[in-house]
Amino acid sequence: QVQLVESGGGSVQAGGSLRLSCAASGYTYGTYCMAWFRQVPGKEREGSARINSYGSTSYADSVKGRFTISIDSAKNTLYLQMNSLKPEDTAIYYCALAPDAVDTWRSGNYRNWGQGTQVTVSS
């Protein structure tokens, strides 16, 4: 059974940094894509950053240049380094896993999801 467990959320002032972690276990996909999505109340979940098993990364325009996604394969852990945070980055952040090296922000392509971690950025 695949499990994704996020950590590292919290409250920070604008301009600050946070690093989110997502510990993954139980998956046996040869190729995969892992992503960070975020959601605020009343809005659809949106993709922020993704990385596939070939090492290819992609970022939403809203976070490009500020967020960095990475994987530590030895620890089976996905990270999201968030710098220069803005109040509009406030959301619940979810880790997601797709059983293929997908190149999409479509949430339906991601089979497994974590429980989410809250990030709050104050002005």
Side-chain angles (χ1 to χ4, degrees):
Q1 183 178 358
V2 176
Q3 280 195 316
L4 303 175
V5 180
E6 300 103 332
S7 61
S11 297
V12 64
Q13 288 193 325
S17 299
L18 283 173
R19 189 176 79 156
L20 305 183
S21 300
C22 173
S25 61
Y27 69 93
T28 58
Y29 309 138
T31 57
Y32 59 84
C33 184
M34 295 194 76
W36 289 98
F37 285 76
R38 65 188 187 184
Q39 188 170 26
V40 297
K43 291 191 176 182
E44 290 189 2
R45 196 171 294 188
E46 63 176 18
S48 294
R50 65 177 186 256
I51 183 168
N52 65 26
S53 49
Y54 301 109
S56 177
T57 60
S58 185
Y59 298 91
D61 289 343
S62 58
V63 307
K64 200 171 293 182
R66 300 187 298 120
F67 290 11
T68 302
I69 190 170
S70 62
I71 286 181
D72 184 333
S73 298
K75 297 181 179 179
N76 290 334
T77 300
L78 176 74
Y79 299 101
L80 185 67
Q81 179 65 45
M82 305 186 294
N83 298 329
S84 302
L85 282 162
K86 304 175 181 180
E88 51 264 44
D89 294 319
T90 296
I92 298 175
Y93 283 72
Y94 297 91
C95 170
L97 171 65
D100 205 347
V102 297
D103 185 22
T104 181
W105 295 120
R106 292 176 60 185
S107 59
N109 287 82
Y110 293 83
R111 182 177 298 177
N112 307 104
W113 294 83
Q115 81 287 353
T117 186
Q118 176 71 48
V119 171
T120 302
V121 184
S122 57
S123 57

